C-alpha cells in the first residue's frame, strides 16, 4: 500500500505538466445557464457579462490540450512509463464541458513487458447527426495472463506467482505471449429521442507464442533468472483443453451492430442520466481456424444519479457477455467487447477494467455478468492559470459471476493428465488444477475499494483505484505467505 501511495503521488505531480492551445476564452456569468453569444470581449477592451458553466468554472473554447509524461502502476502489470495526452476542440464553448472533437494518444510500456501504443478519436459532429469513433492500437504483451477456465473451478497457487527455482515454479507458469494489433471504427445515428443505433467493423490480429525466456531473462538478476517450465497454457494444450491450432493466434475481422440509449448530461463524468446498450458482434475466422467463427451478445446498463449537484453522484454499471453461436479462441476469451473504447483494453473478468481487486483475467468463461457500484464525490474545485481542476474520491464495490462456463469433463481430463504424465514423466495431480463442482463455477467474485480523481477541464481525468478481493477463495495458497492481495491501478478517466 505504501508503494502504491508513492507512485500515486508521483503520477499526480507529473499531471501538473500541461499546455493549452485555445482561442479567446468566453468569460464568466453569475448564472448557471449560458448567456447569449454576444457576451464577448468588446473591441474597446471592456468585458461583457461573464459566462459560467453549471459547475462555476470559466468555459473553455477552441482547442485545448492536456498532456503529460507519466509513471503509473498496475498490480497486474507493474510500473508503467510513457506519455499520453488529450486534445479537445470546444469551438465557441456552447456545449462545454462536452466537446466537438476529442483525441487521445498514448505510448507507454510496463516493466513486466507489455506496451500500449494507441490513437483514439471520437466526435458527434464530424458526420452531421452521427457519432464517429476510431481506434488504432498495438498492444504487445510478453507476459499475458492465463489462470485457467471458469474462475473458482481453476485452482490458483500463490507460490507460482513468484520465482522459486528450487521448486521449478515460477510466475511465468501463468503467462504466455500475446501481441494484438487492433483496428476499430464505429458510427452511430439517432433513432428517436435518446435512442441511437450503432454499427462497427474492425479487426483483431492476435500473435500468440511461447514465452521468450531469452528476452525476459535479459532484465533479470543473475541469481533470479526465469527457469524453463511448461506453463498452464501448454498443459491445457497437452490435456486437450486448448486446440493446438490456436498456438500461433490468428486474424479475426468483426462486424458489430446494436442499439443504444443515452441520456447522460456529459460523457467524461456524467452526473445524471442513463447509458445502456445491447449489441451483437460476429467474429470471423479463416483457414484452419474456420471452426472459430462465433457470435457474441453484450448488454450494459449504466445509471448516474445526482445526490448533491456538482459534488456527489451515485453511479452503477451492470453488464454481461455471452457466446450465442460458434466457438471462441482462448486468446480472445478474455476480451470484453465495448461500443465505446474509453480504455485501451477491456479484459474480463478481473483487473482494472472490470472487477478491480481480482487478478487480471482470473475469471475466463464463455459468458459472464458483472456490476460496478460507485459514489463519486468532488471535494474541491480550483484553477491553475487558465485550467480548471477538481479533486475527488470514489468508494466502490465490484462483482462478477460466470453465467456460461466452459465444459470441464472430469473423466476426460483425468485420463488426459494421466496419459501426459506417462508420456513426459510428470506427476501432475488433477486436484491441484481443478475443482469440478459446478457450484464453484457460478460463485461470485467480489471486491471493494477506493478511488482518487484529479481532473483538468472536466474531461482529462487521472484515476487511482485501490481494491481488495472480498472472498479470498480467488486464491489457492500452497504456501501461506500471501496475506496481502490488495491491488492498485492508475489510469485515465472513470471506469464507466
Amino acid at each position: 500500500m505504501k508503494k502504491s501511495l508513492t507512485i500515486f503521488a508521483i503520477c499526480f505531480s507529473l499531471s501538473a505538466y500541461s499546455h493549452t492551445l485555445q482561442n479567446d476564452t468566453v468569460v464568466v456569468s453569475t448564472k448557471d445557464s449560458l448567456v447569449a453569444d454576444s457576451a464577448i470581449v468588446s473591441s474597446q477592451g471592456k468585458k461583457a457579462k461573464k459566462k459560467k458553466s453549471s459547475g462555476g468554472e470559466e468555459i473553455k473554447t477552441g482547442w485545448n490540450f492536456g498532456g503529460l509524461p507519466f509513471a503509473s502502476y498496475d498490480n497486474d502489470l507493474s510500473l508503467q512509463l510513457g506519455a499520453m495526452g488529450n486534445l479537445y476542440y470546444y469551438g465557441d464553448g456552447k456545449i462545454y464541458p462536452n466537446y466537438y472533437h476529442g483525441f487521445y494518444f498514448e505510448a507507454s510500456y510496463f516493466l513486466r513487458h507489455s506496451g500500449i501504443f494507441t490513437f483514439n478519436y471520437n466526435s458527434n459532429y464530424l458526420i452531421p447527426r452521427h457519432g464517429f469513433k476510431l481506434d488504432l492500437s498495438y498492444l504487445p504483451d510478453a507476459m499475458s495472463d492465463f489462470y485457467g477456465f471458469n474462475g473458482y473451478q481453476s485452482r490458483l497457487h500463490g507460490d507460482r506467482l513468484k520465482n522459486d527455482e528450487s521448486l521449478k515454479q515460477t510466475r511465468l507458469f501463468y503467462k504466455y505471449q500475446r501481441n494484438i494489433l487492433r483496428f476499430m471504427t464505429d458510427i452511430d445515428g439517432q433513432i428517436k429521442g435518446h435512442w441511437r443505433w450503432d454499427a462497427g467493423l474492425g479487426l483483431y490480429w492476435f500473435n500468440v507464442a511461447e514465452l521468450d525466456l531469452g528476452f525476459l531473462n535479459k532484465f533479470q538478476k543473475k541469481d533470479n533468472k526465469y527457469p524453463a517450465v511448461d506453463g498452464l497454457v501448454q498443459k491445457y494444450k497437452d490435456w486437450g483443453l486448448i486446440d493446438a491450432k490456436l498456438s500461433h493466434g490468428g486474424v479475426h475481422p468483426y462486424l458489430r451492430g446494436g442499439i443504444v440509449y443515452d441520456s447522460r448530461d456529459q460523457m467524461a463524468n456524467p452526473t445524471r442520466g442513463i447509458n445502456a446498450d445491447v449489441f451483437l458482434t460476429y467474429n470471423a475466422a479463416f483457414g484452419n481456424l474456420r471452426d472459430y467463427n462465433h457470435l457474441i451478445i453484450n448488454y450494459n446498463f449504466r445509471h448516474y444519479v445526482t445526490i448533491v449537484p456538482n459534488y456527489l453522484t451515485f453511479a452503477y454499471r451492470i453488464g454481461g457477455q455471452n457466446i450465442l453461436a460458434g466457438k471462441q479462441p482462448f486468446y480472445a476469451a478474455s476480451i470484453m467487447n465495448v461500443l465505446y473504447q474509453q480504455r485501451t483494453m477491456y479484459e474480463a473478468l478481473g483487473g482494472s477494467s472490470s472487477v478491480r481487486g481480482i487478478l487480471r483475467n482470473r475469471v475466463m468463461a464463455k459468458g459472464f455478468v458483472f456490476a460496478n457500484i460507485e459514489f463519486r464525490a468532488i471535494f474541491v474545485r480550483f484553477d491553475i492559470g487558465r485550467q480548471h481542476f477538481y479533486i475527488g474520491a470514489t468508494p466502490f464495490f465490484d462483482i462478477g459471476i460466470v453465467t456460461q462456463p466452459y465444459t470441464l469433463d472430469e473423466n476426460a481430463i483425468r485420463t488426459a493428465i494421466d496419459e501426459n504424465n506417462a508420456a513426459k514423466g510428470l506427476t501432475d495431480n488433477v486436484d491441484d488444477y481443478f475443482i469440478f463442482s459446478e457450484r464453484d463455477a457460478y460463485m461470485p467474485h467480489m471486491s471493494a475499494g477506493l478511488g482518487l480523481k484529479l481532473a483538468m477541464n472536466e474531461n482529462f481525468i487521472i484515476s487511482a483505484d485501490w481494491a481488495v478481493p472480498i472472498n479470498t477463495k480467488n486464491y489457492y495458497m500452497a504456501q501461506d505467505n500471501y496475506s496481502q492481495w490488495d491491488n492498485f491501478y492508475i489510469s485515465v478517466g472513470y471506469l464507466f
Side-chain angles (χ1 to χ4, degrees), residues 147-373:
Y147 297 107
F149 295 150
N150 301 343
Y152 291 130
Q153 282 198 305
S154 294
R155 294 189 185 275
L156 190 150
H157 296 257
D159 57 335
R160 281 177 169 160
L161 296 179
K162 68 172 186 175
N163 288 337
D164 191 341
E165 191 170 1
S166 64
L167 297 175
K168 290 298 180 185
Q169 295 172 338
T170 166
R171 70 167 61 216
L172 297 190
F173 181 79
Y174 293 112
K175 306 293 184 182
Y176 72 105
Q177 186 175 174
R178 187 189 70 177
N179 302 325
I180 301 174
L181 179 64
R182 182 184 68 198
F183 172 75
M184 309 173 69
T185 182
D186 286 83
I187 185 171
D188 63 81
Q190 189 172 25
I191 299 173
K192 185 177 181 181
H194 296 298
W195 290 95
R196 303 180 71 85
W197 56 265
D198 189 286
L201 58 86
L203 179 144
Y204 278 89
W205 187 342
F206 295 92
N207 181 7
V208 174
E210 296 180 1
L211 293 170
D212 186 346
L213 284 181
F215 169 75
L216 296 175
N217 279 328
K218 287 180 181 179
F219 306 94
Q220 295 296 112
K221 295 179 180 179
K222 186 176 181 180
D223 59 349
N224 196 33
K225 299 291 186 181
Y226 291 124
V229 296
D230 284 347
L232 189 60
V233 168
Q234 183 59 51
K235 289 185 179 295
Y236 268 50
K237 292 177 186 177
D238 293 340
W239 302 337
L241 296 174
I242 290 178
D243 191 340
K245 291 187 292 186
L246 302 175
S247 297
H248 303 293
V251 178
H252 300 278
Y254 71 82
L255 293 173
R256 180 164 61 203
I259 57 173
V260 180
Y261 179 88
D262 192 353
S263 62
R264 293 174 297 172
D265 57 339
Q266 57 175 292
M267 288 185 288
N269 180 21
T271 61
R272 63 180 183 274
I274 292 172
N275 179 218
D277 57 67
V278 178
F279 61 96
L280 298 172
T281 305
Y282 171 70
N283 298 269
F286 307 102
N288 67 336
L289 298 182
R290 59 185 176 275
D291 293 337
Y292 289 91
N293 287 270
H294 58 283
L295 180 67
I296 293 177
I297 185 171
N298 288 81
Y299 37 93
N300 298 279
F301 183 86
R302 311 166 191 86
H303 191 197
Y304 309 88
V305 181
T306 299
I307 298 177
V308 179
N310 301 316
Y311 287 96
L312 182 61
T313 301
F314 173 64
Y316 65 91
R317 175 179 69 165
I318 301 172
Q321 177 171 297
N322 291 89
I323 297 177
L324 296 181
K327 294 190 298 183
Q328 187 179 37
F330 84 96
Y331 50 73
S334 63
I335 295 176
M336 180 165 60
N337 294 328
V338 294
L339 285 180
Y340 180 55
Q341 200 71 24
Q342 194 173 5
R343 294 195 173 196
T344 303
M345 178 68 81
Y346 287 80
E347 308 241 22
L349 287 173
S352 62
S353 60
S354 57
V355 183
R356 293 159 291 189
I358 306 301
L359 290 174
R360 183 179 69 147
N361 298 338
R362 174 67 179 96
V363 186
M364 183 179 290
K366 293 190 289 185
F368 54 82
V369 294
F370 65 95
N372 312 103
I373 300 171

Side-chain angles (χ1 to χ4, degrees), residues 76-77 80 106-118 136-145 176-182 204-209 211 215-216 344-345 347 360:
D76 298 309
L77 301 170
Q80 181 188 22
E106 181 177 339
S108 61
Y109 202 76
F110 292 90
L111 294 191
R112 287 185 187 160
H113 312 297
S114 65
I116 296 174
F117 304 92
T118 188
L136 179 62
S137 300
Y138 177 58
L139 308 170
D141 192 345
M143 298 172 66
S144 187
D145 300 299
Y176 72 105
Q177 186 175 174
R178 187 189 70 177
N179 302 325
I180 301 174
L181 179 64
R182 182 184 68 198
Y204 278 89
W205 187 342
F206 295 92
N207 181 7
V208 174
L211 293 170
F215 169 75
L216 296 175
T344 303
M345 178 68 81
E347 308 241 22
R360 183 179 69 147

Side-chain angles (χ1 to χ4, degrees), residues 422-437:
K424 291 190 172 183
L426 301 176
T427 58
D428 287 327
N429 185 337
V430 66
D431 296 319
D432 287 338
Y433 296 93
F434 300 100
I435 299 174
F436 290 104
S437 166

Side-chain angles (χ1 to χ4, degrees), residues 38-59:
S38 58
I40 58 174
V41 179
S42 69
S43 58
Q44 288 81 17
K46 295 181 180 179
K47 294 183 179 179
K49 288 185 178 181
K50 296 179 178 181
K51 281 190 176 181
K52 181 186 284 189
S53 73
S54 60
E57 74 271 15
E58 188 180 80
I59 294 169

Side-chain angles (χ1 to χ4, degrees), residues 386-401:
R386 302 172 77 180
Q387 310 304 311
H388 314 308
F389 293 83
Y390 72 72
I391 296 175
T394 305
F396 60 82
F397 170 80
D398 295 346
I399 183 172
I401 301 174

